[in-house]
PDB file of all heavy atoms in Angstrom:
ATOM      1  N   ASP F 112     -90.765 -65.979  -8.785  1.00 98.00           N
ATOM      2  CA  ASP F 112     -91.013 -64.811  -9.634  1.00 98.00           C
ATOM      3  C   ASP F 112     -90.777 -65.234 -11.076  1.00 98.00           C
ATOM      4  O   ASP F 112     -89.743 -65.827 -11.395  1.00 98.00           O
ATOM      5  CB  ASP F 112     -90.072 -63.658  -9.270  1.00 98.00           C
ATOM      6  CG  ASP F 112     -90.441 -63.086  -7.908  1.00 98.00           C
ATOM      7  OD1 ASP F 112     -91.648 -63.023  -7.612  1.00 98.00           O
ATOM      8  OD2 ASP F 112     -89.523 -62.736  -7.138  1.00 98.00           O
ATOM      9  N   VAL F 113     -91.738 -64.911 -11.919  1.00 98.00           N
ATOM     10  CA  VAL F 113     -91.667 -65.357 -13.316  1.00 98.00           C
ATOM     11  C   VAL F 113     -91.609 -64.141 -14.243  1.00 98.00           C
ATOM     12  O   VAL F 113     -92.385 -63.195 -14.074  1.00 98.00           O
ATOM     13  CB  VAL F 113     -92.914 -66.212 -13.680  1.00 98.00           C
ATOM     14  CG1 VAL F 113     -92.860 -66.653 -15.139  1.00 98.00           C
ATOM     15  CG2 VAL F 113     -93.017 -67.417 -12.760  1.00 98.00           C
ATOM     16  N   VAL F 114     -90.674 -64.183 -15.191  1.00 98.00           N
ATOM     17  CA  VAL F 114     -90.667 -63.179 -16.265  1.00 98.00           C
ATOM     18  C   VAL F 114     -90.873 -63.935 -17.562  1.00 98.00           C
ATOM     19  O   VAL F 114     -90.089 -64.815 -17.923  1.00 98.00           O
ATOM     20  CB  VAL F 114     -89.334 -62.395 -16.314  1.00 98.00           C
ATOM     21  CG1 VAL F 114     -89.376 -61.362 -17.445  1.00 98.00           C
ATOM     22  CG2 VAL F 114     -89.055 -61.717 -14.991  1.00 98.00           C
ATOM     23  N   LEU F 115     -91.970 -63.599 -18.247  1.00 98.00           N
ATOM     24  CA  LEU F 115     -92.308 -64.250 -19.520  1.00 98.00           C
ATOM     25  C   LEU F 115     -91.990 -63.242 -20.625  1.00 98.00           C
ATOM     26  O   LEU F 115     -92.479 -62.110 -20.599  1.00 98.00           O
ATOM     27  CB  LEU F 115     -93.795 -64.602 -19.515  1.00 98.00           C
ATOM     28  CG  LEU F 115     -94.415 -65.182 -20.790  1.00 98.00           C
ATOM     29  CD1 LEU F 115     -93.759 -66.509 -21.154  1.00 98.00           C
ATOM     30  CD2 LEU F 115     -95.922 -65.392 -20.588  1.00 98.00           C
ATOM     31  N   ILE F 116     -91.142 -63.656 -21.580  1.00 98.00           N
ATOM     32  CA  ILE F 116     -90.691 -62.722 -22.631  1.00 98.00           C
ATOM     33  C   ILE F 116     -91.161 -63.219 -23.989  1.00 98.00           C
ATOM     34  O   ILE F 116     -91.046 -64.417 -24.297  1.00 98.00           O
ATOM     35  CB  ILE F 116     -89.151 -62.630 -22.659  1.00 98.00           C
ATOM     36  CG1 ILE F 116     -88.590 -62.333 -21.266  1.00 98.00           C
ATOM     37  CG2 ILE F 116     -88.683 -61.569 -23.652  1.00 98.00           C
ATOM     38  CD1 ILE F 116     -87.069 -62.385 -21.200  1.00 98.00           C
ATOM     39  N   ASP F 117     -91.661 -62.308 -24.808  1.00 98.00           N
ATOM     40  CA  ASP F 117     -91.947 -62.668 -26.199  1.00 98.00           C
ATOM     41  C   ASP F 117     -91.753 -61.429 -27.075  1.00 98.00           C
ATOM     42  O   ASP F 117     -91.966 -60.302 -26.633  1.00 98.00           O
ATOM     43  CB  ASP F 117     -93.374 -63.210 -26.374  1.00 98.00           C
ATOM     44  CG  ASP F 117     -93.505 -64.070 -27.628  1.00 98.00           C
ATOM     45  OD1 ASP F 117     -93.442 -63.508 -28.751  1.00 98.00           O
ATOM     46  OD2 ASP F 117     -93.636 -65.297 -27.502  1.00 98.00           O
ATOM     47  N   ARG F 118     -91.400 -61.670 -28.341  1.00 98.00           N
ATOM     48  CA  ARG F 118     -91.210 -60.549 -29.272  1.00 98.00           C
ATOM     49  C   ARG F 118     -92.550 -60.001 -29.753  1.00 98.00           C
ATOM     50  O   ARG F 118     -92.610 -58.931 -30.340  1.00 98.00           O
ATOM     51  CB  ARG F 118     -90.361 -60.991 -30.455  1.00 98.00           C
ATOM     52  CG  ARG F 118     -90.990 -62.101 -31.234  1.00 98.00           C
ATOM     53  CD  ARG F 118     -90.096 -62.665 -32.301  1.00 98.00           C
ATOM     54  NE  ARG F 118     -90.722 -63.867 -32.823  1.00 98.00           N
ATOM     55  CZ  ARG F 118     -90.126 -64.761 -33.560  1.00 98.00           C
ATOM     56  NH1 ARG F 118     -88.868 -64.610 -33.881  1.00 98.00           N
ATOM     57  NH2 ARG F 118     -90.771 -65.819 -33.991  1.00 98.00           N
ATOM     58  N   ASN F 119     -93.618 -60.769 -29.532  1.00 98.00           N
ATOM     59  CA  ASN F 119     -94.968 -60.292 -29.829  1.00 98.00           C
ATOM     60  C   ASN F 119     -95.729 -60.146 -28.516  1.00 98.00           C
ATOM     61  O   ASN F 119     -95.477 -60.903 -27.573  1.00 98.00           O
ATOM     62  CB  ASN F 119     -95.724 -61.283 -30.723  1.00 98.00           C
ATOM     63  CG  ASN F 119     -95.056 -61.450 -32.072  1.00 98.00           C
ATOM     64  OD1 ASN F 119     -94.663 -60.466 -32.695  1.00 98.00           O
ATOM     65  ND2 ASN F 119     -94.901 -62.679 -32.522  1.00 98.00           N
ATOM     66  N   ASN F 120     -96.704 -59.227 -28.475  1.00 98.00           N
ATOM     67  CA  ASN F 120     -97.442 -59.085 -27.214  1.00 98.00           C
ATOM     68  C   ASN F 120     -98.690 -59.979 -27.194  1.00 98.00           C
ATOM     69  O   ASN F 120     -99.561 -59.812 -26.367  1.00 98.00           O
ATOM     70  CB  ASN F 120     -97.808 -57.619 -26.950  1.00 98.00           C
ATOM     71  CG  ASN F 120     -99.007 -57.173 -27.748  1.00 98.00           C
ATOM     72  OD1 ASN F 120     -99.291 -57.727 -28.807  1.00 98.00           O
ATOM     73  ND2 ASN F 120     -99.712 -56.168 -27.242  1.00 98.00           N
ATOM     74  N   TYR F 121     -98.734 -60.939 -28.138  1.00 98.00           N
ATOM     75  CA  TYR F 121     -99.892 -61.834 -28.174  1.00 98.00           C
ATOM     76  C   TYR F 121     -99.447 -63.287 -28.266  1.00 98.00           C
ATOM     77  O   TYR F 121     -98.338 -63.590 -28.713  1.00 98.00           O
ATOM     78  CB  TYR F 121    -100.803 -61.489 -29.366  1.00 98.00           C
ATOM     79  CG  TYR F 121    -100.076 -61.481 -30.695  1.00 98.00           C
ATOM     80  CD1 TYR F 121     -99.834 -62.656 -31.394  1.00 98.00           C
ATOM     81  CD2 TYR F 121     -99.607 -60.286 -31.249  1.00 98.00           C
ATOM     82  CE1 TYR F 121     -99.168 -62.655 -32.596  1.00 98.00           C
ATOM     83  CE2 TYR F 121     -98.936 -60.267 -32.460  1.00 98.00           C
ATOM     84  CZ  TYR F 121     -98.726 -61.454 -33.128  1.00 98.00           C
ATOM     85  OH  TYR F 121     -98.047 -61.448 -34.320  1.00 98.00           O
ATOM     86  N   HIS F 122    -100.351 -64.144 -27.823  1.00 97.00           N
ATOM     87  CA  HIS F 122    -100.173 -65.586 -27.999  1.00 97.00           C
ATOM     88  C   HIS F 122    -101.018 -65.984 -29.218  1.00 97.00           C
ATOM     89  O   HIS F 122    -102.194 -65.612 -29.310  1.00 97.00           O
ATOM     90  CB  HIS F 122    -100.667 -66.326 -26.754  1.00 97.00           C
ATOM     91  CG  HIS F 122    -100.835 -67.792 -26.958  1.00 97.00           C
ATOM     92  ND1 HIS F 122     -99.772 -68.664 -26.940  1.00 97.00           N
ATOM     93  CD2 HIS F 122    -101.927 -68.552 -27.221  1.00 97.00           C
ATOM     94  CE1 HIS F 122    -100.209 -69.893 -27.164  1.00 97.00           C
ATOM     95  NE2 HIS F 122    -101.521 -69.850 -27.333  1.00 97.00           N
ATOM     96  N   LEU F 123    -100.406 -66.708 -30.121  1.00 97.00           N
ATOM     97  CA  LEU F 123    -101.063 -67.019 -31.396  1.00 97.00           C
ATOM     98  C   LEU F 123    -101.535 -68.468 -31.436  1.00 97.00           C
ATOM     99  O   LEU F 123    -100.764 -69.386 -31.158  1.00 97.00           O
ATOM    100  CB  LEU F 123    -100.074 -66.771 -32.540  1.00 97.00           C
ATOM    101  CG  LEU F 123    -100.589 -67.000 -33.955  1.00 97.00           C
ATOM    102  CD1 LEU F 123    -101.699 -66.012 -34.295  1.00 97.00           C
ATOM    103  CD2 LEU F 123     -99.453 -66.861 -34.958  1.00 97.00           C
ATOM    104  N   PHE F 124    -102.800 -68.651 -31.829  1.00 97.00           N
ATOM    105  CA  PHE F 124    -103.340 -70.008 -31.984  1.00 97.00           C
ATOM    106  C   PHE F 124    -103.129 -70.432 -33.436  1.00 97.00           C
ATOM    107  O   PHE F 124    -104.002 -70.250 -34.300  1.00 97.00           O
ATOM    108  CB  PHE F 124    -104.828 -70.012 -31.600  1.00 97.00           C
ATOM    109  CG  PHE F 124    -105.398 -71.390 -31.445  1.00 97.00           C
ATOM    110  CD1 PHE F 124    -105.079 -72.179 -30.342  1.00 97.00           C
ATOM    111  CD2 PHE F 124    -106.246 -71.917 -32.397  1.00 97.00           C
ATOM    112  CE1 PHE F 124    -105.597 -73.454 -30.204  1.00 97.00           C
ATOM    113  CE2 PHE F 124    -106.778 -73.200 -32.269  1.00 97.00           C
ATOM    114  CZ  PHE F 124    -106.453 -73.967 -31.168  1.00 97.00           C
ATOM    115  N   THR F 125    -101.955 -70.974 -33.702  1.00 97.00           N
ATOM    116  CA  THR F 125    -101.544 -71.268 -35.089  1.00 97.00           C
ATOM    117  C   THR F 125    -102.484 -72.211 -35.853  1.00 97.00           C
ATOM    118  O   THR F 125    -102.609 -72.066 -37.077  1.00 97.00           O
ATOM    119  CB  THR F 125    -100.126 -71.864 -35.126  1.00 97.00           C
ATOM    120  OG1 THR F 125    -100.073 -72.919 -34.168  1.00 97.00           O
ATOM    121  CG2 THR F 125     -99.084 -70.828 -34.837  1.00 97.00           C
ATOM    122  N   PRO F 126    -103.134 -73.190 -35.205  1.00 96.00           N
ATOM    123  CA  PRO F 126    -103.969 -74.103 -35.996  1.00 96.00           C
ATOM    124  C   PRO F 126    -105.059 -73.383 -36.811  1.00 96.00           C
ATOM    125  O   PRO F 126    -105.539 -73.942 -37.801  1.00 96.00           O
ATOM    126  CB  PRO F 126    -104.582 -75.029 -34.937  1.00 96.00           C
ATOM    127  CG  PRO F 126    -103.556 -75.065 -33.855  1.00 96.00           C
ATOM    128  CD  PRO F 126    -102.991 -73.680 -33.806  1.00 96.00           C
ATOM    129  N   LEU F 127    -105.440 -72.187 -36.414  1.00 97.00           N
ATOM    130  CA  LEU F 127    -106.476 -71.482 -37.190  1.00 97.00           C
ATOM    131  C   LEU F 127    -105.901 -70.352 -38.038  1.00 97.00           C
ATOM    132  O   LEU F 127    -106.653 -69.556 -38.607  1.00 97.00           O
ATOM    133  CB  LEU F 127    -107.562 -70.938 -36.246  1.00 97.00           C
ATOM    134  CG  LEU F 127    -108.360 -72.001 -35.484  1.00 97.00           C
ATOM    135  CD1 LEU F 127    -109.427 -71.348 -34.621  1.00 97.00           C
ATOM    136  CD2 LEU F 127    -109.006 -72.985 -36.456  1.00 97.00           C
TER     137      LEU F 127
END
Side-chain angles (χ1 to χ4, degrees):
D112 290 323
V113 179
V114 180
L115 175 62
I116 308 174
D117 202 290
R118 61 187 170 194
N119 297 315
N120 79 334
Y121 54 82
H122 166 79
L123 182 65
F124 192 73
T125 49
L127 296 182

